């Protein structure tokens, strides 16, 4: 996330959490606190001293800050250096964000950054449920079967997670093909470097499937920090369980709506909301009059579950389920009926009556996967064929959505065309990319009831874009409010590209403040490959020769000689061979530390935008490494984040014209 700030912070993970501007400001505050304490600063003094810091001081009381620090650190009389100060600040900042609850109404329950929770306790029922899930789905894995099944009553899960293999494999269960398993280090005993590589691959891949992993580093996994490890596992499993809740995977969902307008609305909903809508649709069939709005209080009495299962599996219904008065007894009968249906049990009767939101959501999702009760008639499904299906738009939306979510904004984005329409998240992103550029005094924070306030936010988004020399001809704030897909994608691409070029400018010592252009990135890549002794080159980011993947493998090998196992590389002659190479490239880049969101298809089809971001990410990672480490392949704890940082408001040069709004197909 940050540019080169090694003078201020030596820890690479901490470097990635702040911009240079933020670090300098925090350093100034830290030094002032030390001066007030006669040159020494103790941990016990931070709750009072940090009252002057924005967000942490404004949102949290001194007692709240003190309680958290005492819970997190055993000794309060230790001296605080700048890096410890930053770690405490990061955790308090996350606690402050959770307390403010910004955007909570718009976020899916399991994607409200559970990995950043500061409560160091974990839910034992959730842990037991996730362990059972892992045993079920990974029990036959060739590498893991010698360690599985895990005991749900122990902490074995956190021990086996320390080498990174299990979570990498779990990601592939959730979204098959995300990680090329040839890139995972799977020796029985891994050295620290190999373990770190696995965790880096895991974290970058988790981001690439939609997990929120802000403020988590490889060290958290290596040390087995249970609340963080369980938070990531929870997100991965739920992404798997909710994977079918879209019209592409389950076209029968069209039965839930009436006309095309309703279908478009359904397509824009997060999977959790679709699951609720499906549940209420089935409950209405069974004569249940209440509306379920959540997976906690609304299902605690188990009545909704009893009606739902009676509709879906009447052959297993038990009349006494609805007659019993005790909710716990009813919950037990519900689970017995679910067992007869063949549903895996993700929770106990106690979890139901206690309203565990994560476990109840997982239970309903599994019921949906096992028996959704929707019509298989083709009449309604054929209606979907009349809707526009733009695969390229869908892929680009996915890239930008995951990139934005990786930045740690206040709300999780489920659909960029819907969730950016009030302008707030775009303003937050602009402020991260170019600190200080947003005029927050004239911005309106969600929830925004008045439409003109949304337009005002989006007008500022467009105005700032023009300041940054984006090509925004005939674009107005109302276009974003109206959800104009083409314009939103064009804006996001220019924002991502601007951010990328600024990062490289600040890292590249010999740029002397000169703007970095696409041509510079191209030349850097060709120079690296040429200097490694290869004759391979790319003529441009739309060079069709790139589709076989060989150039990028040469580039990765040039920047980290031991990174590519050439015995696994194909010639890229057929589509299948190209896909094998493309998948390997993405996993190797993530394993190094590149935070990238492209798909193998982007390489095979030579998507110009994605070729530029892939090359720039490799360049960014390379320039961040100490000079002596670039060739020797020394280990690095760096997860490069999502290319977010800037200490300058200067703009890109005229090559940005390639990103004009009418460039819908840069391929």
């Amino acid at each position: 996330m940050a540019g080169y700030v090694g003078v201020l912070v030596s820890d690479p993970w901490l470097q990635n959490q702040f911009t240079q501007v933020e670090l300098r400001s925090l350093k100034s505050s830290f030094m002032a606190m030390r001066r007030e304490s006669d040159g020494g600063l103790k941990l016990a003094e931070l709750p009072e001293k940090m009252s002057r810091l924005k967000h942490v001081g404004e949102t949290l009381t001194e007692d709240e800050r003190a309680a958290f620090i005492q819970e997190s650190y055993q000794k309060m009389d230790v001296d605080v250096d700048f890096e410890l100060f930053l770690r405490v600040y990061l955790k308090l900042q996350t606690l402050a964000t959770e307390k403010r609850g910004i955007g909570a109404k718009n976020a899916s329950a399991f994607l409200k950054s559970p990995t950043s929770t500061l409560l160091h306790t974990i839910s034992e029922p959730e842990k037991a449920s996730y362990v059972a899930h892992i045993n079920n789905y990974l029990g036959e894995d060739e590498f893991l079967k010698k360690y599985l099944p895990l005991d749900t009553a122990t902490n074995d899960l956190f021990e086996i997670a320390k080498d990174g293999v299990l979570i990498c494999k779990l990601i592939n269960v959730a979204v098959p093909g995300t990680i090329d398993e040839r890139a995972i280090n799977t020796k029985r005993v891994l050295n620290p470097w190999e373990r770190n590589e696995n965790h880096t691959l895991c974290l970058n891949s988790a981001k690439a499937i939609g997990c929120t992993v802000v403020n988590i580093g490889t060290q958290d996994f290596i040390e087995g920090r249970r609340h963080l490890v369980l938070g990531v596992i929870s997100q991965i499993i739920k992404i798997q369980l909710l994977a079918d809740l879209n019209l592409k995977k389950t076209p029968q969902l069209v039965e839930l709506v009436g006309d095309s307008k309703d279908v478009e609305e359904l397509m824009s909903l997060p999977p959790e909301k679709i699951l609720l809508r499906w549940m209420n649709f089935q409950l209405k069939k069974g004569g249940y009059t209440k509306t379920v709005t959540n997976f906690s209080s609304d299902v605690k009495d188990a009545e909704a579950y009893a009606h739902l299962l009676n509709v879906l599996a009447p052959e297993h219904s038990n009349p006494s389920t609805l007659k019993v008065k005790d909710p716990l007894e009813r919950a037990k009968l519900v689970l017995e009926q679910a067992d007869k249906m063949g549903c895996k049990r993700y929770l106990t009767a106690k979890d139901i009556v206690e309203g565990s939101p994560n476990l109840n959501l997982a239970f309903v999702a599994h019921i949906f996967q096992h028996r959704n009760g929707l019509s298989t008639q083709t009449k309604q499904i054929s209606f979907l064929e009349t809707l526009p299906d733009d695969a390229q738009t869908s892929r680009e939306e996915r890239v930008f959505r995951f990139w934005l979510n990786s930045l740690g904004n206040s709300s999780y984005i489920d659909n960029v065309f819907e969730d950016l329409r009030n302008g707030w998240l775009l303003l937050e992103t602009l402020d991260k990319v170019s600190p200080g550029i947003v005029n927050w005094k004239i911005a309106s924070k969600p929830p925004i009831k008045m439409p003109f306030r949304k337009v005002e936010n989006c007008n500022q988004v467009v105005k700032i874009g023009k300041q940054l020399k984006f090509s925004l001809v005939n674009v107005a704030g109302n276009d974003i409010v109206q959800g104009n897909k083409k314009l939103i994608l064009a804006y996001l691409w220019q924002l991502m590209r601007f951010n990328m070029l600024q990062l490289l400018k600040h890292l590249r010592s010999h740029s002397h403040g000169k703007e970095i252009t696409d041509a510079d990135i191209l030349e850097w890549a060709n120079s690296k490959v040429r200097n490694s002794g290869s004759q391979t080159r790319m003529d441009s980011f739309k060079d069709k020769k790139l589709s076989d993947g060989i150039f990028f493998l040469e580039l990765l090998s040039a920047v980290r000689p031991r990174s590519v196992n050439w015995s696994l590389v194909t010639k890229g002659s057929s589509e299948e061979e190209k896909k094998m190479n493309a998948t390997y490239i993405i996993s190797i880049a993530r394993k190094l530390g590149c935070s990238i969101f492209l798909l193998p298809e982007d390489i095979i089809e030579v998507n110009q935008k994605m070729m530029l971001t892939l090359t720039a990410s490799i360049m960014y990672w390379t320039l961040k490494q100490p000079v002596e480490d670039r060739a020797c392949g020394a280990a690095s704890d760096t997860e490069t984040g999502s290319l977010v940082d800037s200490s300058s408001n200067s703009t890109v040069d005229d090559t940005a014209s390639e990103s004009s709004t009418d460039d819908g197909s840069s391929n």
Side-chain angles (χ1 to χ4, degrees):
M1 245 166 82
Y4 182 70
V5 287
V7 175
L8 297 176
V9 180
S10 59
D11 187 323
W13 182 81
L14 274 176
Q15 288 181 23
N16 289 330
Q17 308 310 311
F18 301 95
T19 66
Q20 293 182 37
V21 172
E22 289 168 337
L23 271 174
R24 292 192 186 103
S25 174
L26 287 167
K27 182 75 172 182
S28 176
S29 298
F30 171 72
M31 295 306 293
M33 293 177 195
R34 285 194 62 184
R35 285 194 296 272
E36 292 170 6
S37 301
D38 297 323
L41 182 64
K42 300 291 185 184
L43 200 56
E45 297 177 79
L46 289 186
E48 185 271 324
K49 299 285 187 187
M50 283 186 159
S51 62
R52 69 189 68 174
L53 298 178
K54 190 177 179 183
H55 302 313
V56 166
E58 295 170 356
T59 308
L60 302 174
T61 66
E62 184 174 334
D63 287 344
E64 287 172 327
R65 292 191 295 272
F68 165 70
I69 293 174
Q70 286 168 3
E71 179 191 348
S72 303
Y73 300 93
Q74 293 179 342
K75 297 180 180 179
M76 298 296 287
D77 61 344
V78 300
D79 290 322
V80 178
D81 61 16
F82 186 45
E83 292 196 359
L84 177 57
F85 174 81
L86 291 177
R87 291 181 187 279
V88 174
Y89 173 78
L90 274 174
K91 293 180 178 181
L92 288 175
Q93 188 181 47
T94 308
L95 184 63
T97 299
E98 290 176 353
K99 184 179 178 182
R100 289 198 304 270
I102 297 173
K105 290 183 180 179
N106 298 325
S108 297
F110 72 92
L111 289 175
K112 291 178 191 168
S113 194
T115 54
S116 63
T117 179
L118 297 171
L119 298 173
H120 289 203
T121 57
I122 63 170
S123 164
E124 288 296 331
E126 284 194 29
K127 185 197 77 175
S129 174
Y130 301 149
V131 167
H133 180 96
I134 288 167
N135 287 339
N136 183 42
Y137 282 93
L138 289 172
E140 297 304 313
D141 180 86
E142 273 307 310
F143 178 78
L144 292 174
K145 65 183 180 183
K146 53 181 170 285
Y147 305 107
L148 302 180
L150 298 171
D151 186 344
T152 58
T154 69
N155 286 323
D156 289 351
L157 170 64
F158 307 109
E159 287 303 313
I160 194 174
K162 286 182 178 180
D163 69 6
V165 177
L166 182 138
I167 299 182
C168 284
K169 299 266 190 179
L170 192 61
I171 287 171
N172 270 356
V173 170
V175 184
T178 299
I179 296 176
D180 187 328
E181 297 201 0
R182 298 174 297 175
I184 304 173
N185 298 321
T186 53
K187 292 191 309 189
R188 189 173 183 85
V189 179
L190 299 177
N191 62 41
W193 177 20
E194 292 166 330
R195 194 178 300 123
N196 186 74
E197 284 186 327
N198 279 351
H199 291 309
T200 303
L201 172 60
C202 157
L203 285 173
N204 283 321
S205 299
K207 281 190 283 187
I209 65 169
C211 293
T212 303
V213 293
V214 178
N215 293 342
I216 295 183
T218 58
Q219 198 63 27
D220 296 313
F221 284 88
I222 292 167
E223 294 175 5
R225 291 179 185 164
R226 301 190 307 160
H227 62 298
L228 297 177
V229 173
L230 201 66
V232 173
I233 289 173
S234 167
Q235 291 185 80
I236 295 168
I237 289 175
K238 285 165 188 169
I239 286 171
Q240 175 194 345
L241 292 175
L242 297 175
D244 292 340
L245 280 149
N246 58 73
L247 287 170
K248 188 173 182 181
K249 291 279 187 71
T250 312
Q252 295 89 350
L253 283 166
V254 74
E255 189 180 346
L256 305 185
V257 297
D259 54 31
S260 60
K261 187 175 181 181
D262 291 333
V263 170
E264 288 186 18
E265 181 199 350
L266 186 70
M267 291 171 73
S268 70
L269 289 176
E272 184 181 11
K273 297 292 186 187
I274 296 176
L275 188 62
L276 279 172
R277 185 174 287 198
W278 166 80
M279 186 174 181
N280 285 310
F281 175 80
Q282 300 295 357
L283 288 173
K284 193 174 179 182
K285 284 185 187 177
Y288 189 71
T289 55
K290 298 176 186 176
T291 300
V292 177
T293 62
N294 59 62
F295 294 105
S296 183
S297 58
D298 286 359
V299 295
K300 287 171 74 169
D301 60 9
E303 283 188 17
Y305 285 149
H307 281 90
L308 178 65
L309 296 184
N310 283 346
V311 171
L312 297 175
E315 71 275 19
H316 299 305
S317 64
N318 182 345
S320 61
T321 305
L322 288 168
K323 291 178 182 177
V324 297
K325 301 296 184 185
D326 181 16
L328 186 63
E329 286 304 312
R330 187 182 302 116
K332 289 178 180 177
L333 291 172
V334 161
L335 292 177
E336 286 177 12
Q337 189 173 348
D339 281 344
K340 290 175 184 175
M341 287 172 59
C343 287
K344 296 293 179 185
R345 196 183 280 196
Y346 280 88
L347 74 180
T348 64
K350 186 169 180 280
D351 297 324
I352 292 177
V353 298
E354 289 182 352
S356 170
N358 278 348
L359 295 182
N360 276 295
L361 182 146
F363 180 55
V364 178
H366 197 85
I367 292 172
F368 176 86
Q369 282 187 341
H370 191 76
R371 190 180 298 194
N372 62 40
L374 296 172
S375 171
T376 55
Q377 297 297 317
T378 56
K379 182 180 177 182
Q380 284 176 303
I381 298 173
S382 63
F383 167 70
L384 291 174
E385 296 172 4
T386 65
L387 296 174
D389 179 24
D390 189 339
Q392 185 59 38
T393 295
S394 177
R395 285 222 304 265
E396 287 196 14
E397 187 274 339
R398 173 191 174 279
V399 167
F400 296 136
R401 172 164 36 100
F402 291 159
W403 173 63
L404 290 167
N405 283 332
S406 75
L407 308 184
N409 287 322
S410 61
S411 294
Y412 187 86
I413 298 169
D414 289 294
N415 184 307
V416 299
F417 305 127
E418 292 297 321
D419 298 344
L420 301 183
R421 288 170 63 174
N422 64 21
W424 182 260
L425 288 172
L426 284 171
L427 290 173
E428 283 191 343
T429 304
L430 285 162
D431 197 51
K432 289 177 183 290
V433 168
S434 189
I437 203 167
V438 175
N439 182 353
W440 292 110
K441 292 180 181 178
I442 62 171
S444 298
K445 186 167 69 174
I448 305 173
K449 295 181 180 178
M450 304 298 289
F452 75 92
R453 295 293 186 195
K454 298 179 184 179
V455 175
E456 286 177 345
N457 279 356
C458 292
N459 281 341
Q460 187 177 180
V461 167
V462 173
K463 181 181 177 183
I464 293 172
K466 290 177 178 176
Q467 277 180 248
L468 300 178
K469 301 294 176 64
F470 294 178
S471 178
L472 298 170
V473 180
N474 297 324
V475 177
N478 197 48
D479 293 314
I480 299 173
V481 176
Q482 295 300 320
N484 185 309
K485 293 184 178 182
K486 183 179 179 182
L487 296 180
I488 289 173
L489 290 178
Y491 190 97
L492 288 174
W493 163 240
Q494 293 180 86
L495 179 58
M496 190 181 193
R497 180 178 176 278
F498 169 80
N499 169 221
M500 183 172 58
L501 296 177
Q502 289 297 292
L503 273 173
L504 291 172
K505 171 188 168 184
H506 297 313
L507 277 180
R508 203 172 185 185
S509 58
H510 61 270
S511 68
H512 304 298
K514 180 188 172 188
E515 304 301 341
I516 299 291
T517 67
D518 295 9
D520 292 327
I521 299 171
L522 183 72
E523 172 53 32
W524 174 86
N526 280 324
S527 173
K528 279 288 177 187
V529 172
R530 183 172 61 249
N531 291 342
S532 72
S534 172
Q535 301 300 311
T536 315
R537 61 172 283 111
M538 64 171 162
D539 297 325
S540 71
F541 294 112
K542 51 187 176 183
D543 186 342
K544 292 301 180 185
K545 295 194 298 293
L546 296 175
S547 69
D548 63 13
I550 300 300
F551 178 83
F552 288 112
L553 289 164
E554 295 274 16
L555 178 59
L556 289 165
S557 183
V559 300
R560 173 61 69 81
R562 60 168 293 280
S563 61
V564 177
N565 181 345
W566 286 99
S567 68
L568 302 176
V569 176
T570 74
K571 293 180 180 179
S573 303
S574 65
E575 287 300 305
E576 184 181 351
E577 288 188 346
K578 287 179 180 179
K579 186 160 188 177
M580 289 177 68
N581 284 354
T583 306
Y584 191 51
I585 289 163
I586 292 169
S587 291
I588 292 300
R590 287 177 181 152
K591 186 177 176 180
L592 287 185
C594 298
S595 184
I596 49 178
F597 303 94
L598 75 167
L599 293 170
E601 290 81 1
D602 292 315
I603 297 175
I604 296 166
E605 297 168 13
V606 193
N607 180 322
Q608 181 182 355
K609 295 175 184 175
M610 296 304 106
M611 296 303 92
L612 172 58
T613 58
L614 173 60
T615 312
S617 295
I618 297 170
M619 181 178 179
Y620 178 67
W621 176 84
T622 305
L623 294 178
K624 281 183 70 108
Q625 306 313 301
V627 174
E628 64 273 16
D629 286 353
R630 292 182 194 169
C632 67
S636 168
D637 287 335
T638 303
E639 294 88 44
T640 62
S642 304
L643 289 176
V644 175
D645 170 55
S646 179
S647 59
S648 166
N649 293 339
S650 55
T651 57
V652 295
D653 65 17
D654 292 337
T655 59
S657 61
E658 290 181 16
S659 309
S660 63
T661 55
D662 59 6
D663 180 19
S665 60
S666 313
N667 306 335

